[in-house]
Structures are given as C-alpha cells and as structure tokens.
Amino acid sequence: MFADIPTADATVQLDTGFAALGLSEPVLKALVEKGYTTPTPIQEQAIPIVLMGRDVLGCAQTGTGKTAGFTLPMLDILSGSRARARMPRSLILEPTRELALQVAENFVQYGKHLKLTHALLIGGESMSEQKEVLTRGVDVLIATPGRLIDIFERGGLLLSDVRVLVIDEADRMLDMGFIPDVERIVAMLPPLRQTLFFSATMAPEIKRLADAFLSNPKEISVSKPASVATTITEGLALVATHDKREALRRLVRTEDVQNALIFCNRKRDVDILYKSLTRHKFSAGALHGDMPQSARFATLEKFKAGEIRLLVCSDVAARGIDIGGLSHVFNFDVPHHAEDYVHRIGRTGRAGLEGRALTLATPEDRLAVEAIQKLTGHAIPPLAVEGLDPVDWAEVDSRGRRRSRGGKGASPPRAEKASKSAAPRRVEAAVQPAVDEMQLKATRQDPRRSSERMRGDRRTDTAREPRRDREMRGLENRDSVIGFGADIPAFMQIRRRTAVVRMETPSRNEGGDHNDGTEIAA
DNA sequence: AAAAAAT
C-alpha cells in the first residue's frame, strides 16, 4: 500500500504525468494507488481546461478515458467547500443507469482521499434512499434524466447551487429521446456555471444543443490513437429460423470465445435464449431493460469479472454500457436499424487484438442485411456454420417465402457444395465509431423522439433494391466467396473491394490532415 | 417492430 512507502519516495511516486496537469495531491495519490501514471490524450487536454473553469465541448467516445477527464478535475474544484442539504454543487447527466453507476464508481475511487459525497439518482431503485442522501447534502449528483426530474418535481432537490454541469454521451441521449428532458433540466440550473459537454459525434442537432448550453467552450476532439486500433472480423451465417439456436451453439463451440455479447432484438427472446444456453450448460447471463436493476448490475459485474462468459442482451448493451475487451459479438438477431449493427459490433475488438462480430441471418432478414451493408459500405463476408447446411437465399424471397424453382428465371446450377470451413473476411478496424457514427448521424438528425421518428419517414429510406430480383438470378463476379458455390446472393457482392477499410480519425478542421489521434481546435 | 428511461 501507498501508506507504507517512505515520504521521500512518495513525492517521486506522485510526480506522474497527471501532476503536470495541475491536479491536487489527494487525487494524484488515488491515481497512483490505482496504478495510473500516464494521462490519455483527452485527459491531458481536458483536465487543465476544466481546472481553469472553462466550458468544454468534448468530442470523444467511451474508452478514451473521458470519464476520468472530467471526474478528476471536478474533484479538485469541489474539494474546496462543502455542499448544503438538497443543493448539490455539481450534476452529471448520463443516458443509462449503467453508465451512471460507472461514473459514480469513478468518483469513489479517485475521491477516496477527499471528503466529498455523491448521490446516484437513477430509476429502478428506491427513491426514499436517494432522497435521504440528498437531504444530507451532496457534492456530486450523478443521474439519469427521468429520475432526476421526478425527484425535482417532488421537491426533493434544489438545483440552484449547481456550479458544474456535465452532459455525457449527448449523442446517446439524443438517440434515446432524452434531449427534451435534458433541456428542461438545464433550464433549472443557474445560468452562471461551468458546463462540460461530451458526445461521440457532433451531428447538427448535437451542435445546436452545445451552442445553447455552452459559453465560449474549448473544443477538444480525440479518438482512440491508431496504435490501439482494433481489428474486427465480421461474418454472416445464413441459417434457417429453426436452426438459429443450434447454429449459435455450434459457433460458440468452434470459435475461440473468451467472452461475448449475444444480441437479440426483443427482450423476451433474450430470456428465451438465455434459458436455452443455460440448459445447454453454457456459462451465460441475461441483460435487458425489464430486469430488476439489482439483477442488471449484478449480471454486468459477473460478466466483467469473467464469472459469466456469454451475456445475452437487448440493445441496452449496444450503447448504454461500457464493456471493454470482448473477443466476440454475436447478433442472434439481425438488428432492424442498420446503425444498431455498427454500435453492437463496435463492442468487440480489444486494443490491438482481433475481435469477431458474427451475425446469424435468416431469409427474412435479407432486407435488414442489405441495409446494413449499404450503410457500412461493404458486404459482410459469409460464414459457414460447421455441421449445418447454409440456407440458399436465392430461393427465398424477401419475406422468406420459397420461390418456385425450375421456371424461367431459375437459379443457375450449383457449381460446388458449400465449404464447411469458410473463414470470414478480415476487416481492418471497420467500426472505429468516431467515423462510423459520423456517417450514421448524417442519416439521423431528426430531433423528434425516436418513437415518433419510427412512425415517420425513416422506414421508407431503408435500402430498397429495385434490381434485387434480377440480381438474385444471374450473378457475375462470383469470385472467392467461400461457402456459397455459384449461388452468391447479389447483396453480398456489392462493393466488396471496400470491405477492407482503414479508419482514419476525422479531422475537426477540414483539410487538416495532421492527425495523431489527438487534436484541439480552438 | 423494438429498445432505452420515470412510475
């Protein structure tokens, strides 16, 4: 322990890269004890600015060290004085309960040598307990929007003393329809305050919010440095609907799965698949938004600790939580929104190591797969499941009905039988989200709540392929797609040469091609 | 057609 180290050495010990950023001794001490000595680029840039009291507009995603980038300086800002009852001095808004909990854990860890208090205001847990903590006075309030507004309206909270506001993951807030809530909350805060605003992307709607909330902000933009760029190998297994669970089990057995998220589209299917996997003796857990909060946190902890190897989940885990270092992501269901595919598979790919993102698709999923491929700009390489016959998509129409065979436009004869060991194509860092989300947001700038959006025009712009039927028949250019013989579905061939995409960090200032992964635009 | 977040 640190306490055992002689004082002279302790001074040397504390003299890490963080000390140069102006953090106080108690915070540095906590960092050393956690074993952190070198700040990440965003920490290096953000910490001095936050300590200065300036507003920050941060373009950064999870995994960049963003959370410590604002918690560390906030601890120092707040450590000067004490909070009064029901009047928190800082507020951190998070889109999901899991992220809120993670931030709270950060505060506890880094603030262990300071006498600061925090409250975690999230749904699904007893409100009376949270109110009690508030009454005692808290320095840091970490909250999801719904519960915060609820408690505020019940009079359990005064926000007039909030000096520092953090809006984290603003783009996720937008996706989840929280922006009206966030605007309401910000309106309750004193106008004279420091605001830190973070988002993985800066879509126009996000930019509009930032302009409204921030005054003269310092813009900070970072992405993961190229050296830790991950490699994600994608694969698409075409299976019959009744074979899906069997196919998944076979893939899990044949792949070198360390730990994996398995995504389903529906919560009830999460439950069903979880039970099925457990029956088949797999180490599995389940996670979706209808589960009790305690179970959500407990399962997540077990999964992170390696006690559970497979986590069956809904899209709550696609964006709402931060789990690093996955060897695999499985899409048990093809996501209905192409953007969700990118978010899901972006969960795999460990720093410098290979991650595999494998999707099970049935004939009914064809349109959804086409939409994904249109969005990512490359075909997902086909993957054969050992011991299962691949489904021939050419014989099924988009709604999964069998086409009549032997007629005029019948499929060409098969040249070869499917190979059993098709290897998925390697995709270099196909999902560095900083870039992909930029593309995504371009298609999603509608400020309305997602439920409204759904009913509106969004559905009509899903990839529609008028030439589809023609292309399903006579196919050209059927080189090197393993596992399909001559019957390669047309959509698998679109722009295949773009399948290898080397991701570059987008530069804030157009034309600036100097980019080492860290960059400040003033 | 579904998921998240407030009850």
Side-chain angles (χ1 to χ4, degrees):
Chain A
M1 272 304 281
F2 189 82
D4 300 330
I5 300 170
T7 322
D9 288 340
T11 317
V12 177
Q13 292 273 329
L14 290 183
D15 193 18
T16 62
F18 286 103
L21 302 177
L23 293 169
S24 73
E25 199 165 305
V27 173
L28 293 173
K29 206 167 148 189
L31 281 167
V32 168
E33 284 165 11
K34 283 282 291 176
Y36 296 137
T37 54
T38 313
T40 67
I42 191 160
Q43 290 160 4
E44 214 160 51
Q45 294 170 45
I47 290 171
I49 304 290
V50 178
L51 285 174
M52 227 181 271
R54 268 193 78 175
D55 282 6
V56 167
L57 175 57
C59 196
Q61 11 146 0
T62 42
T64 53
K66 172 184 49 137
T67 307
F70 63 80
T71 51
L72 296 174
M74 278 177 76
L75 285 166
D76 275 354
I77 289 173
L78 297 168
S79 66
S81 49
R82 296 301 321 274
R84 285 184 284 166
R86 265 171 265 186
M87 296 176 79
R89 296 192 298 145
S90 62
L91 170 62
I92 299 172
L93 290 177
E94 294 288 337
T96 67
R97 299 168 185 176
E98 275 77 9
L99 282 170
L101 181 73
Q102 280 173 20
V103 172
E105 284 169 350
N106 265 269
F107 264 99
V108 173
Q109 287 169 0
Y110 303 135
K112 62 187 285 196
H113 300 301
L114 294 167
K115 287 191 173 55
L116 291 175
T117 55
H118 77 274
L120 184 59
L121 300 192
I122 56 175
E125 283 184 344
S126 144
M127 195 182 286
S128 56
E129 225 171 275
Q130 294 174 1
K131 280 180 149 178
E132 210 172 284
V133 180
L134 284 174
T135 308
R136 288 200 293 270
V138 295
D139 300 292
V140 186
L141 198 57
I142 302 151
T144 47
R147 178 57 67 91
L148 181 79
I149 289 176
D150 199 356
I151 291 190
F152 183 84
E153 284 174 348
R154 289 163 195 254
L157 180 63
L158 290 165
L159 293 172
S160 51
D161 215 18
V162 170
R163 305 282 302 280
V164 185
L165 166 69
V166 179
I167 296 171
D168 199 13
E169 311 265 346
D171 48 344
R172 288 184 194 171
M173 300 249 197
L174 179 68
D175 292 344
M176 294 166 81
F178 285 165
I179 293 305
D181 287 345
V182 172
E183 287 178 315
R184 275 182 68 195
I185 292 166
V186 175
M188 303 189 267
L189 302 176
L192 206 64
R193 53 154 207 271
Q194 183 179 11
T195 305
L196 317 175
F197 186 100
F198 294 94
S199 180
T201 64
M202 283 299 156
E205 172 65 4
I206 300 285
K207 191 75 181 130
R208 183 188 71 75
L209 282 172
D211 289 342
F213 295 159
L214 299 164
S215 74
N216 186 29
K218 181 83 177 172
E219 291 189 25
I220 296 175
S221 176
V222 302
S223 72
K224 295 177 187 176
S227 57
V228 297
T230 54
T231 305
I232 297 178
T233 310
E234 298 173 79
L236 181 69
L238 303 182
V239 296
T241 308
H242 58 267
D243 278 344
K244 277 173 96 176
R245 290 203 288 266
E246 168 81 21
L248 177 70
R249 291 196 296 272
R250 285 173 182 272
L251 282 176
V252 171
R253 290 199 183 101
T254 51
E255 294 273 325
D256 182 22
V257 175
Q258 304 297 312
N259 52 358
L261 287 180
I262 303 171
F263 284 100
C264 298
N265 285 352
R266 293 185 197 82
K267 292 185 271 200
R268 47 178 286 263
D269 292 332
V270 170
D271 293 329
I272 293 168
L273 181 59
Y274 161 67
K275 282 181 192 140
S276 162
L277 286 169
T278 309
R279 260 201 306 278
H280 283 86
K281 308 286 182 218
F282 285 95
S283 163
L287 188 73
H288 62 65
D290 278 354
M291 293 168 47
Q293 194 55 51
S294 53
R296 278 169 68 168
F297 286 154
T299 302
L300 200 53
E301 279 310 306
K302 279 191 203 160
F303 184 66
K304 285 180 174 175
E307 294 167 39
I308 293 172
R309 201 158 62 101
L310 307 175
L311 186 58
V312 188
C313 55
S314 67
D315 277 315
V316 68
R319 315 185 197 191
I321 56 178
D322 183 19
I323 307 170
L326 293 171
S327 75
H328 287 73
V329 164
F330 293 97
N331 287 310
F332 185 75
D333 295 318
V334 178
H336 287 120
H337 287 308
E339 311 94 80
D340 291 331
Y341 176 83
V342 179
H343 288 291
R344 287 180 181 184
I345 75 168
R347 300 278 134 187
T348 186
R350 296 153 297 173
L353 297 173
E354 183 189 303
R356 290 167 70 74
L358 309 180
T359 299
L360 299 180
T362 68
E364 300 91 88
D365 297 322
R366 207 177 67 195
L367 288 179
V369 171
E370 284 172 355
I372 289 166
Q373 302 189 130
K374 194 178 172 199
L375 177 76
T376 62
H378 64 259
I380 310 173
L383 167 74
V385 183
E386 227 169 277
L388 282 185
D389 284 334
V391 170
D392 184 356
W393 280 20
E395 288 182 25
V396 187
D397 71 16
S398 60
R399 274 183 270 174
R401 288 189 297 238
R402 294 235 132 219
R403 288 164 190 272
S404 55
R405 286 204 84 182
K408 256 188 196 171
S411 305
R414 278 192 206 204
E416 51 185 294
K417 199 66 184 160
S419 153
K420 285 194 171 184
S421 57
R425 174 182 276 247
R426 221 157 201 275
V427 180
E428 278 282 316
V431 277
Q432 187 61 268
V435 166
D436 284 329
E437 292 189 21
M438 299 286 272
Q439 297 176 340
L440 300 187
K441 300 298 165 169
T443 67
R444 182 174 43 189
Q445 291 156 12
D446 194 331
R448 285 173 292 165
R449 295 181 81 101
S450 50
S451 52
E452 296 167 24
R453 256 191 280 129
M454 245 175 49
R455 272 178 259 121
D457 41 5
R458 283 194 70 205
R459 308 172 56 172
T460 53
D461 65 22
T462 359
R464 230 180 320 164
E465 191 50 83
R467 307 179 312 276
R468 193 179 48 224
D469 287 358
R470 253 183 301 129
E471 288 180 357
M472 294 304 292
R473 304 290 172 181
L475 291 171
E476 297 173 345
N477 188 23
R478 54 180 71 102
D479 59 305
S480 79
V481 179
I482 310 162
F484 284 80
D487 294 337
I488 312 157
F491 68 88
M492 284 196 166
Q493 302 200 328
I494 54 168
R495 303 210 292 148
R496 295 194 64 236
R497 65 201 154 76
T498 61
V500 174
V501 183
R502 183 88 205 131
M503 286 308 188
E504 292 292 347
T505 310
S507 190
R508 278 205 146 280
N509 40 352
E510 297 280 318
D513 51 6
H514 64 290
N515 203 326
D516 56 0
T518 75
E519 181 174 47
I520 308 181

